[in-house]
Amino acid sequence: MMASVVVDGHLDVDLVRSHFPALKQNQVFLDNAGGSQVLSDVINSIRTHLEETNVQLGASYDVGQKATEKYNEGLKAAAEFMNANVDEIVIGPSTTQLFSNLSQAFALSFPDDAELICSSVDHEANISSWVRLAKIRNLTLKWWTPSRDPADLKLTADNLRPLLSSKTKLVTCTHTSNILGTIHDIQAIADEVHTISGAMLCVDGVALAPHREVDVKALGVDFYSFSWYKVYGPHIAVLYGSQAAQQNVSSLGHYFHTPADDLATKLGLAAASYELVATIPSILSYFGPDRKRTWSAVAAHEQRLQGILLDYLNKREDVVVYSERSADSNLRVPVISFSVRGKSSKEVVEKVDTCSSFGIRWGHFYSKRMVDDLLGLKTDGVIRTIRMSLHSSVFLEHWVGLIVNPGEVGTLQIASWRGFLTLQNFRGFRALASICHHRISIWTDPYLCFLVTKLSGPPSLDVARTRVRDACTSFSSESSDHVTKPRSALYRERIIVVAHRGVVATPSQFFSKGSKPGFTPELTQHPAAAWLKNYTETALDGRAWEKGTPYSEWHTDDYSIEKADGTVIQGGKEAWEQGAPSLFKPFKAHKHEPNMAVILEVPNGWMMLGQANVFGQLHAPSSEPKVKDASGKEWDIMTPGAFRFVFVKDDKAEHDGIKMQQTSVFLDSGPTMAMMLKVGMLKPEDLTKA
């Protein structure tokens, strides 16, 4: 059994994400209504089965017995997950296939005057088989359409009742629409269906199962199906059939499989892949020893997050949200569909693809009858999102603006408070590479170590200050390091709160994350980046201040430089003559190697947010292992950092009509200072000096 992903009553998103290897990619999966990512334990289980127990079931030899045992454990886990008995379930390749098999098994059992009722807001999986059966048997088919209003498409016992008659044999509907996300009261609907003698209810639970606990006995359904690949597992599905309802199901199995007294024998047709069924216990294990507690935490987390998105969308006059507009987890799951007036859904999604790592989808998602006939979106359907339990509130706050304004970039805004509110994950700045990453951390001013306190959401400045000071005090009292301990007072005042600060929407943006480090052709196609390449190589790495180069050659008169400790040096001459020399004082030579950049248009120029590694050669010789830059040249030290530049256009400027107006530097000085201690350039007592 895995450790619970619920900590202090709340879903621990970091812990949740650690179970999904796919989330390490530079891609944000927001199309998970179409299929979730897969647990690492599920992946390992498949590999182990194929390596160790890939034999036919039922054999008496040792490996055969192990394979059979694993398969049976998978069936038991599947039944347990939905509160069913093993003889009441069947595993198949998909919900669509299982419903198709079920419809064939009903072909001979329905009388000629039988009536079928199908919901018009369903996925085609729970429609086409019944339409086909009605056509083959010439049965009456009634459509259950709750409303013609796109804002009110909820299935209820009340709007079903007029369709029922003494001839009704089967009612089919979805527990939650894979387009609308609205939760239907299946228990009430089942009770209404069962007022008709012999009538059965068949429910598609695919869109609900990833978000809420399924209890088929409490729901009172006759048949219920969902797909495991929507619930962190492999591409298989399960169908439940009550003991009473199974009496109406003919067997599709071989003639010698008698008696056919369980659903798997009747409908399975040997379609349950052994290695995939064997993974199901791993899925149950993910939900921990108290599944109800985990599901409750999932619902609370999703309500909080879908509230962020729905609040934003509901306020937009140019956005149409379909069906339930409330974020109440009792009313909906986070499958949210909408459209933007004046823009095609395809256009919005493809624009998002080009300017971000967010993966969303457009279309009808196999609910074509509803999308075409009830929503009136025959051309390219809806924009659909999202899988909330794998993401955090901070992440959502950054994404919501981008989704509706696909021509604008969602990026990170830098603000100041003694230190800096800056890019997430100081060591590496993955947030700049993919502005979707969600973790919030507090890091101390980086001299010799990093102190990290993880937060559950974006902190206010007061909260951030308090938590950092508390953490630093705790760190100081526990540390025995004579170098770092005296720095605690400085840590309290010179902190970097690493956090997302909001979406900056700009009419024009440029994003570059090259295939290799350096000023690549991809990066320097932008004029500001091309200018920065010349500036970096000539003025910075060329140490132009030592050659008497005037500030005015490269900088404006009001040029300022802001350092990582909060110091701001104002005035072109002062900033140039004091700022750069102080930053690069430890080195006799250095080189900047950019990795990525976002360039935004600002009045009369551009602002660049960039991440780079700075390689340095210390003044004192070092016997420590060297580090290599992208060209293979060896250096004493590599310092990760990030930079913000503001460039202004100036027709009189000496270099390409551009000058630098502002520089903000975020350098991790810890590795450099540690190396300076080792080579004798710095003494421990120097760190205690103000």
Side-chain angles (χ1 to χ4, degrees):
M1 183 70 67
M2 294 184 195
S4 176
V5 293
V6 179
V7 178
D8 296 330
H10 301 285
L11 200 66
D12 186 326
V13 179
D14 283 348
L15 185 56
V16 166
R17 291 174 66 87
S18 71
H19 290 295
F20 296 89
L23 300 185
K24 297 177 182 178
Q25 302 176 73
N26 183 25
Q27 178 73 65
V28 188
F29 299 97
L30 297 181
D31 65 336
N32 288 284
S36 70
Q37 296 308 306
V38 181
L39 289 160
S40 57
D41 281 5
V42 168
I43 297 169
N44 293 335
S45 172
I46 294 171
R47 183 179 63 249
T48 300
H49 183 95
L50 294 176
E51 289 176 348
E52 300 177 4
T53 53
N54 189 33
V55 297
Q56 185 60 270
L57 304 184
S60 57
Y61 58 88
D62 183 56
V63 174
Q65 290 183 35
K66 290 180 180 178
T68 303
E69 181 181 359
K70 283 189 173 184
Y71 183 82
N72 289 335
E73 288 174 354
L75 293 180
K76 291 177 182 177
E80 180 184 343
F81 188 85
M82 55 199 312
N83 192 26
N85 300 321
V86 172
D87 60 359
E88 295 176 316
I89 67 165
V90 55
I91 303 291
S94 67
T95 293
T96 300
Q97 183 65 64
L98 288 172
F99 281 153
S100 179
N101 291 359
L102 181 61
S103 70
Q104 294 179 58
F106 278 152
L108 300 178
S109 62
F110 288 161
D112 293 340
D113 63 348
E115 295 179 353
L116 312 182
I117 301 174
C118 287
S119 153
S120 58
V121 301
D122 270 46
H123 186 288
E124 195 67 14
N126 203 18
I127 294 179
S128 60
S129 296
W130 312 117
V131 171
R132 183 169 59 248
L133 175 61
K135 184 176 181 180
I136 291 172
R137 287 289 316 280
N138 196 29
L139 305 176
T140 298
L141 177 65
K142 296 180 179 180
W143 289 103
W144 179 9
T145 302
S147 164
R148 290 289 174 180
D149 180 0
D152 183 22
L153 294 175
K154 187 171 185 176
L155 301 172
T156 67
D158 289 340
N159 54 41
L160 168 65
R161 191 174 299 115
L163 299 174
L164 296 171
S165 77
S166 61
K167 298 180 180 181
T168 300
K169 293 302 176 184
L170 183 70
V171 177
T172 70
C173 71
T174 181
H175 201 158
T176 298
S177 165
N178 73 317
I179 293 286
L180 308 176
T182 305
I183 300 174
H184 302 130
D185 188 346
I186 295 300
Q187 184 175 2
I189 291 171
D191 289 345
E192 188 66 35
V193 169
H194 293 151
T195 61
I196 306 299
S197 177
M200 297 176 291
L201 176 64
C202 178
V203 178
D204 176 354
V206 172
L208 180 120
H211 306 283
R212 300 292 184 273
E213 185 176 22
V214 175
D215 185 338
V216 292
K217 299 298 175 65
L219 293 172
V221 296
D222 299 287
F223 297 96
Y224 193 103
S225 182
F226 68 85
S227 300
W228 289 105
Y229 70 94
K230 306 298 177 80
V231 195
Y232 319 129
H235 205 294
I236 52 175
V238 61
L239 171 67
Y240 159 81
S242 70
Q243 294 286 359
Q246 285 187 45
Q247 304 308 309
N248 299 297
V249 178
S250 302
S251 177
L252 304 181
H254 300 312
Y255 75 92
F256 52 81
H257 284 161
T258 55
D261 54 3
D262 63 82
L263 200 62
T265 301
K266 291 182 176 182
L267 302 180
L269 300 178
S273 168
Y274 303 159
E275 67 271 17
L276 302 188
V277 173
T279 69
I280 298 175
S282 297
I283 301 173
L284 265 67
S285 177
Y286 166 77
F287 287 93
D290 187 345
R291 290 203 301 277
K292 288 187 178 298
R293 180 170 178 260
T294 301
W295 281 119
S296 177
V298 167
H301 181 74
E302 292 182 344
Q303 175 171 313
R304 184 166 60 253
L305 268 64
Q306 69 185 4
I308 296 171
L309 178 57
L310 286 168
D311 182 63
Y312 177 82
L313 295 177
N314 287 333
K315 291 177 181 177
R316 296 281 304 227
E317 294 183 357
D318 57 342
V319 170
V320 179
V321 178
Y322 296 102
S323 197
E324 184 58 61
R325 301 172 73 90
S326 168
D328 188 337
S329 62
N330 294 308
L331 302 178
R332 65 143 53 248
V333 299
V335 177
I336 299 170
S337 296
F338 60 95
S339 61
V340 182
R341 293 188 176 95
K343 297 178 182 179
S344 74
S345 296
K346 179 182 179 182
E347 173 193 359
V348 172
V349 171
E350 290 182 347
K351 284 284 189 177
V352 170
D353 291 340
T354 63
C355 67
S356 79
S357 297
F358 298 117
I360 57 174
R361 298 281 299 275
W362 62 272
H364 57 70
F365 305 101
Y366 295 91
S367 292
K368 186 168 176 57
R369 298 174 195 267
M370 176 179 65
V371 171
D372 285 3
D373 301 336
L374 301 182
L375 303 186
L377 301 173
K378 294 184 178 181
T379 303
D380 56 6
V382 299
I383 304 162
R384 187 183 71 172
T385 188
I386 188 175
R387 179 48 173 255
M388 299 276 187
S389 62
L390 302 182
H391 306 299
S392 75
S393 58
V394 180
F395 154 79
L396 255 298
E397 288 166 352
H398 286 285
W399 176 70
V400 291
L402 177 64
I403 197 68
V404 179
N405 302 296
E408 303 170 355
V409 64
T411 186
L412 306 175
Q413 178 181 1
I414 298 177
S416 294
W417 169 66
R418 290 191 68 86
F420 297 95
L421 294 165
T422 183
L423 307 177
Q424 178 262 359
N425 193 341
F426 190 77
R427 186 185 290 275
F429 292 90
R430 287 176 296 178
L432 188 54
S434 173
I435 55 178
C436 63
H437 287 276
H438 70 282
R439 290 178 184 159
I440 300 249
S441 300
I442 292 181
W443 303 74
T444 63
D445 190 45
Y447 278 84
L448 294 177
C449 61
F450 287 101
L451 176 66
V452 183
T453 300
K454 292 183 179 178
L455 305 178
S456 59
S460 68
L461 297 186
D462 288 339
V463 170
R465 181 187 291 111
T466 300
R467 294 196 183 188
V468 170
R469 289 179 175 173
D470 290 347
C472 289
T473 300
S474 173
F475 173 79
S476 176
S477 64
E478 295 173 2
S479 175
S480 60
D481 189 324
H482 71 282
V483 174
T484 56
K485 184 173 181 179
R487 303 295 294 185
S488 60
L490 182 60
Y491 284 139
R492 296 190 189 105
E493 296 305 320
R494 295 179 180 178
I495 66 171
I496 300 173
V497 180
V498 182
H500 290 300
R501 294 297 296 166
V503 173
V504 179
T506 62
S508 180
Q509 57 83 23
F510 174 86
F511 176 75
S512 173
K513 183 180 184 295
S515 57
K516 59 181 181 180
F519 284 100
T520 62
E522 176 190 356
L523 174 58
T524 55
Q525 64 182 302
H526 193 285
W531 183 93
L532 185 63
K533 177 179 184 293
N534 187 18
Y535 173 80
T536 301
E537 294 174 350
T538 304
L540 292 185
D541 294 342
R543 301 174 72 89
W545 60 88
E546 296 178 346
K547 303 171 185 177
T549 301
Y551 79 91
S552 56
E553 181 176 334
W554 298 95
H555 309 92
T556 62
D557 290 339
D558 61 347
Y559 173 66
S560 65
I561 184 168
E562 191 173 18
K563 299 193 294 183
D565 63 359
T567 302
V568 178
I569 305 175
Q570 298 280 3
K573 186 175 186 297
E574 292 77 8
W576 171 239
E577 294 179 353
Q578 298 175 33
S582 66
L583 288 172
F584 301 107
K585 184 177 180 180
F587 307 120
K588 61 182 179 182
H590 43 82
K591 176 185 177 181
H592 289 71
E593 197 170 76
N595 291 316
M596 61 199 72
V598 175
I599 304 175
L600 313 172
E601 282 193 3
V602 296
N604 194 38
W606 303 275
M607 179 176 71
M608 175 190 289
L609 305 177
Q611 191 274 319
N613 294 328
V614 181
F615 294 85
Q617 208 74 285
L618 296 172
H619 288 289
S622 170
S623 60
E624 296 294 317
K626 305 295 184 181
V627 292
K628 293 182 179 181
D629 63 22
S631 69
K633 183 176 178 179
E634 292 186 337
W635 301 83
D636 290 332
I637 189 73
M638 185 276 287
T639 300
F643 306 85
R644 179 184 63 170
F645 303 110
V646 176
F647 310 93
V648 296
K649 299 174 184 178
D650 184 345
D651 293 337
K652 298 180 181 179
E654 187 172 337
H655 301 284
D656 301 319
I658 298 174
K659 284 191 175 184
M660 182 84 75
Q661 186 180 48
Q662 292 179 24
T663 299
S664 295
V665 181
F666 310 95
L667 284 174
D668 171 6
S669 57
T672 301
M673 298 188 74
M675 185 68 74
M676 290 171 69
L677 284 167
K678 291 180 180 180
V679 302
M681 291 176 61
L682 195 64
K683 297 179 180 179
E685 54 266 29
D686 293 334
L687 298 181
T688 65
K689 298 176 182 178

